[in-house]
Protein backbone atom coordinates (compact mmCIF):
# COMPACT_ATOMS: atom_id res chain seq x y z
CA UNK A 1 0.00 0.00 0.00
CA UNK A 2 0.85 3.67 -0.01
CA UNK A 3 3.36 4.99 2.48
CA UNK A 4 4.97 8.28 3.47
CA UNK A 5 8.28 8.58 5.30
CA UNK A 6 9.37 11.60 7.29
CA UNK A 7 12.73 10.60 8.63
CA UNK A 8 13.08 13.43 11.16
CA UNK A 9 10.78 13.22 14.11
CA UNK A 10 12.14 16.37 15.69
CA UNK A 11 13.99 19.30 14.17
CA UNK A 12 15.31 22.16 16.30
CA UNK A 13 16.63 25.30 14.61
CA UNK A 14 17.77 28.76 15.50
CA UNK A 15 15.68 31.60 14.14
CA UNK A 16 16.93 32.81 10.77
CA UNK A 17 18.43 29.52 9.66
CA UNK A 18 17.01 27.60 6.67
CA UNK A 19 14.42 24.89 7.14
CA UNK A 20 14.30 21.60 5.29
CA UNK A 21 11.93 18.83 6.30
CA UNK A 22 12.24 15.60 4.37
CA UNK A 23 9.43 13.62 2.83
CA UNK A 24 9.57 10.56 0.62
CA UNK A 25 6.71 8.40 -0.48
CA UNK A 26 5.72 5.15 -2.14
CA UNK A 27 2.64 4.67 -4.29
CA UNK A 28 1.56 2.73 -7.33
CA UNK A 29 -0.53 5.64 -8.61
CA UNK A 30 1.04 7.81 -11.28
CA UNK A 31 -1.16 10.86 -10.55
CA UNK A 32 -0.64 11.03 -6.82
CA UNK A 33 -1.05 14.33 -5.00
CA UNK A 34 1.39 15.34 -2.27
CA UNK A 35 0.53 17.66 0.57
CA UNK A 36 2.16 19.36 3.52
CA UNK A 37 -0.13 20.01 6.46
CA UNK A 38 0.84 22.14 9.44
CA UNK A 39 -0.56 21.63 12.93
CA UNK A 40 -0.05 24.46 15.39
CA UNK A 41 -0.65 23.75 19.07
CA UNK A 42 -4.32 24.01 20.03
CA UNK A 43 -5.42 24.48 16.44
CA UNK A 44 -6.67 22.22 13.65
CA UNK A 45 -4.24 20.74 11.15
CA UNK A 46 -4.45 22.75 7.95
CA UNK A 47 -3.10 22.57 4.45
CA UNK A 48 0.17 24.36 3.80
CA UNK A 49 1.21 23.19 0.33
CA UNK A 50 0.02 20.80 -2.35
CA UNK A 51 1.29 19.50 -5.67
CA UNK A 52 0.75 16.86 -8.29
CA UNK A 53 3.00 18.33 -10.98
CA UNK A 54 6.44 16.83 -11.42
CA UNK A 55 9.38 19.21 -10.98
CA UNK A 56 7.21 22.25 -10.35
CA UNK A 57 7.93 24.41 -7.29
CA UNK A 58 4.90 25.33 -5.20
CA UNK A 59 5.00 28.09 -2.58
CA UNK A 60 2.83 29.34 0.25
CA UNK A 61 3.44 31.46 3.33
CA UNK A 62 7.18 31.54 2.74
CA UNK A 63 7.47 27.76 2.45
CA UNK A 64 8.14 25.92 -0.78
CA UNK A 65 8.35 22.37 -2.04
CA UNK A 66 9.00 20.65 -5.35
CA UNK A 67 7.55 17.27 -6.23
CA UNK A 68 10.20 15.02 -7.75
CA UNK A 69 8.58 11.85 -9.02
CA UNK A 70 11.91 10.38 -10.09
CA UNK A 71 13.03 10.26 -6.47
CA UNK A 72 9.54 10.11 -4.89
CA UNK A 73 10.28 13.14 -2.77
CA UNK A 74 8.47 16.28 -1.66
CA UNK A 75 10.74 18.09 0.81
CA UNK A 76 9.51 21.23 2.58
CA UNK A 77 11.85 24.21 2.66
CA UNK A 78 12.00 27.75 3.91
CA UNK A 79 14.90 30.14 3.56
CA UNK A 80 14.71 31.62 7.04
CA UNK A 81 12.96 30.07 10.04
CA UNK A 82 10.76 32.20 12.28
CA UNK A 83 9.69 31.53 15.85
CA UNK A 84 6.10 31.29 14.62
CA UNK A 85 7.01 28.35 12.38
CA UNK A 86 7.24 26.08 15.42
CA UNK A 87 4.63 23.39 14.80
CA UNK A 88 4.03 19.78 13.79
CA UNK A 89 4.37 19.24 10.05
CA UNK A 90 2.84 16.32 8.20
CA UNK A 91 3.60 15.16 4.70
CA UNK A 92 0.64 13.37 3.13
CA UNK A 93 -0.15 11.43 -0.01
CA UNK A 94 -3.40 11.09 -1.90
CA UNK A 95 -3.75 8.48 -4.59
CA UNK A 96 -5.56 10.94 -6.82
CA UNK A 97 -8.81 8.99 -6.87
CA UNK A 98 -12.15 10.23 -5.61
CA UNK A 99 -11.78 8.54 -2.25
CA UNK A 100 -10.01 11.60 -0.94
CA UNK A 101 -8.15 9.46 1.56
CA UNK A 102 -4.79 10.71 2.69
CA UNK A 103 -1.87 8.66 3.94
CA UNK A 104 0.13 10.70 6.43
CA UNK A 105 3.73 10.44 7.50
CA UNK A 106 4.59 10.25 11.19
CA UNK A 107 5.11 14.00 11.33
CA UNK A 108 8.06 16.25 12.13
CA UNK A 109 8.00 18.59 15.10
CA UNK A 110 9.79 21.79 14.18
CA UNK A 111 10.99 23.92 17.08
CA UNK A 112 12.51 27.30 16.27
CA UNK A 113 14.51 28.94 19.05
CA UNK A 114 15.67 32.55 19.39
CA UNK B 1 -17.27 30.38 7.31
CA UNK B 2 -17.29 26.67 6.57
CA UNK B 3 -16.19 24.63 9.52
CA UNK B 4 -15.76 21.22 11.07
CA UNK B 5 -16.74 21.04 14.72
CA UNK B 6 -16.21 18.17 17.11
CA UNK B 7 -17.72 17.28 20.45
CA UNK B 8 -16.78 16.63 23.11
CA UNK B 9 -13.39 18.33 22.98
CA UNK B 10 -12.24 16.42 26.05
CA UNK B 11 -13.53 13.14 27.39
CA UNK B 12 -12.48 10.84 30.21
CA UNK B 13 -13.97 7.35 30.00
CA UNK B 14 -13.63 4.14 31.94
CA UNK B 15 -12.43 0.89 30.48
CA UNK B 16 -15.36 -1.03 29.02
CA UNK B 17 -17.53 2.03 28.71
CA UNK B 18 -19.13 3.35 25.55
CA UNK B 19 -17.83 6.54 23.97
CA UNK B 20 -19.33 8.50 21.10
CA UNK B 21 -17.39 11.26 19.39
CA UNK B 22 -19.46 13.54 17.18
CA UNK B 23 -18.53 15.64 14.18
CA UNK B 24 -20.51 18.24 12.26
CA UNK B 25 -19.43 19.96 9.04
CA UNK B 26 -20.88 22.94 7.22
CA UNK B 27 -18.63 22.54 4.17
CA UNK B 28 -21.28 20.55 2.27
CA UNK B 29 -18.61 17.95 1.54
CA UNK B 30 -19.56 14.41 0.67
CA UNK B 31 -16.55 12.79 2.30
CA UNK B 32 -15.85 12.69 6.00
CA UNK B 33 -13.03 10.99 7.92
CA UNK B 34 -11.98 10.03 11.42
CA UNK B 35 -8.26 9.99 12.21
CA UNK B 36 -6.40 9.42 15.44
CA UNK B 37 -3.18 11.18 16.25
CA UNK B 38 -0.47 9.52 18.30
CA UNK B 39 3.14 10.56 18.78
CA UNK B 40 5.34 8.59 16.42
CA UNK B 41 2.42 7.39 14.33
CA UNK B 42 1.11 10.55 12.77
CA UNK B 43 -2.51 10.64 11.69
CA UNK B 44 -4.05 7.24 11.05
CA UNK B 45 -7.37 6.70 9.31
CA UNK B 46 -10.00 4.84 11.32
CA UNK B 47 -13.21 5.15 9.29
CA UNK B 48 -14.48 7.31 6.47
CA UNK B 49 -17.69 7.97 4.61
CA UNK B 50 -18.72 8.96 1.09
CA UNK B 51 -22.06 10.34 2.13
CA UNK B 52 -25.12 9.85 4.30
CA UNK B 53 -25.66 6.20 5.14
CA UNK B 54 -22.21 5.04 4.08
CA UNK B 55 -19.24 4.06 6.22
CA UNK B 56 -15.98 2.45 5.16
CA UNK B 57 -13.13 0.94 7.13
CA UNK B 58 -9.88 2.82 7.16
CA UNK B 59 -6.46 1.52 8.09
CA UNK B 60 -7.10 0.88 11.80
CA UNK B 61 -10.84 0.18 12.26
CA UNK B 62 -10.65 -2.50 14.97
CA UNK B 63 -12.50 -1.46 18.11
CA UNK B 64 -14.34 1.39 16.38
CA UNK B 65 -17.65 1.84 14.62
CA UNK B 66 -18.85 4.80 12.61
CA UNK B 67 -22.20 6.29 11.73
CA UNK B 68 -23.14 8.84 9.05
CA UNK B 69 -26.80 9.71 9.54
CA UNK B 70 -26.69 12.83 7.39
CA UNK B 71 -24.44 14.82 5.08
CA UNK B 72 -23.39 17.03 7.98
CA UNK B 73 -22.82 14.53 10.79
CA UNK B 74 -20.34 11.72 11.26
CA UNK B 75 -19.86 9.89 14.58
CA UNK B 76 -17.15 7.60 15.87
CA UNK B 77 -18.29 5.01 18.39
CA UNK B 78 -16.18 3.03 20.83
CA UNK B 79 -18.51 0.34 22.17
CA UNK B 80 -16.02 -1.02 24.72
CA UNK B 81 -13.32 1.56 25.31
CA UNK B 82 -9.82 0.38 26.19
CA UNK B 83 -6.78 2.32 27.48
CA UNK B 84 -5.06 1.75 24.10
CA UNK B 85 -7.71 4.01 22.57
CA UNK B 86 -6.48 6.96 24.58
CA UNK B 87 -5.60 9.45 21.86
CA UNK B 88 -6.55 12.64 20.12
CA UNK B 89 -9.19 12.11 17.46
CA UNK B 90 -9.64 14.35 14.45
CA UNK B 91 -12.61 14.56 12.16
CA UNK B 92 -12.18 15.95 8.65
CA UNK B 93 -14.25 16.63 5.60
CA UNK B 94 -13.31 16.69 1.93
CA UNK B 95 -15.09 17.10 -1.36
CA UNK B 96 -15.44 14.37 -3.92
CA UNK B 97 -13.77 14.67 -7.28
CA UNK B 98 -12.36 17.77 -8.90
CA UNK B 99 -8.80 18.82 -8.43
CA UNK B 100 -6.89 18.67 -6.27
CA UNK B 101 -8.35 15.63 -4.64
CA UNK B 102 -7.49 14.83 -1.09
CA UNK B 103 -7.49 18.29 0.49
CA UNK B 104 -9.04 17.88 3.93
CA UNK B 105 -10.54 20.32 6.39
CA UNK B 106 -10.02 19.28 9.99
CA UNK B 107 -11.84 19.86 13.22
CA UNK B 108 -10.02 20.93 16.36
CA UNK B 109 -9.72 17.45 17.81
CA UNK B 110 -11.21 15.47 20.66
CA UNK B 111 -8.88 14.33 23.40
CA UNK B 112 -9.99 10.98 24.80
CA UNK B 113 -8.52 9.42 27.93
CA UNK B 114 -9.59 5.90 28.84
CA UNK B 115 -8.77 4.93 32.42
Amino acid sequence: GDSVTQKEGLVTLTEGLPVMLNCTYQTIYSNAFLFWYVHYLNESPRLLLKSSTDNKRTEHQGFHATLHKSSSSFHLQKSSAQLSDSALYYCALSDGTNTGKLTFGDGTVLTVKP
Amino acid sequence: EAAVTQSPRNKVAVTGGKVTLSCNQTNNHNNMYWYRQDTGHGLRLIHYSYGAGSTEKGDIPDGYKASRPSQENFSLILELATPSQTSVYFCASGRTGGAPTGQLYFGEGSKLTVL
Side-chain angles (χ1 to χ4, degrees):
Chain A
D2 294 345
S3 66
V4 176
T5 300
Q6 295 179 249
K7 64 179 184 180
E8 309 105 349
L10 177 65
V11 172
T12 302
L13 292 172
T14 301
E15 187 179 18
L17 291 181
V19 178
M20 181 164 175
L21 306 184
N22 287 285
C23 173
T24 57
Y25 65 93
Q26 288 187 313
T27 182
I28 62 172
Y29 297 98
S30 60
N31 61 339
F33 284 81
L34 271 294
F35 302 79
W36 277 100
Y37 278 79
V38 59
H39 188 192
Y40 296 104
L41 190 63
N42 296 323
E43 295 185 11
S44 307
R46 64 173 186 256
L47 181 66
L48 179 61
L49 288 173
K50 59 193 177 193
S51 181
S52 63
T53 305
D54 197 13
N55 297 317
K56 181 180 179 181
R57 173 172 164 146
T58 182
E59 301 187 32
H60 187 60
Q61 295 185 327
F63 288 90
H64 63 91
T66 302
L67 177 59
H68 293 295
K69 293 188 177 181
S70 60
S71 58
S72 298
S73 66
F74 191 56
H75 306 319
L76 183 67
Q77 300 182 66
K78 187 177 185 183
S79 59
S80 176
Q82 297 177 296
L83 297 176
S84 59
D85 293 330
S86 296
L88 173 57
Y89 292 81
Y90 287 112
C91 184
L93 166 69
S94 168
D95 61 17
T97 67
N98 285 345
T99 66
K101 292 190 298 177
L102 294 185
T103 298
F104 286 86
D106 290 346
T108 298
V109 175
L110 175 64
T111 301
V112 182
K113 296 184 174 181
Chain B
E1 182 177 326
V4 179
T5 55
Q6 298 180 224
S7 64
R9 296 290 311 281
N10 285 283
K11 173 75 176 178
V12 178
V14 296
T15 297
K18 182 176 181 179
V19 176
T20 299
L21 304 179
S22 300
C23 178
N24 177 275
Q25 57 108 352
T26 58
N27 295 324
N28 197 31
H29 288 158
N30 289 333
N31 296 352
M32 295 186 74
Y33 311 84
W34 277 106
Y35 285 87
R36 63 177 284 176
Q37 181 186 56
D38 303 285
T39 302
H41 292 282
L43 289 162
R44 293 180 290 173
L45 182 63
I46 305 169
H47 284 289
Y48 61 102
S49 168
Y50 293 123
S54 94
T55 60
E56 305 289 337
K57 294 181 179 180
D59 299 321
I60 53 166
D62 292 346
Y64 303 93
K65 292 172 56 178
S67 174
R68 183 86 182 271
S70 65
Q71 175 86 338
E72 298 79 19
N73 296 293
F74 190 38
S75 297
L76 185 68
I77 303 154
L78 292 67
E79 295 278 5
L80 295 169
T82 68
S84 64
Q85 294 174 313
T86 293
S87 185
V88 180
Y89 292 85
F90 285 94
C91 177
S93 74
R95 62 190 179 95
T96 304
T101 60
Q103 182 174 344
L104 301 185
Y105 299 82
F106 284 88
E108 292 184 324
S110 296
K111 183 177 180 180
L112 173 64
T113 303
V114 183
L115 302 176

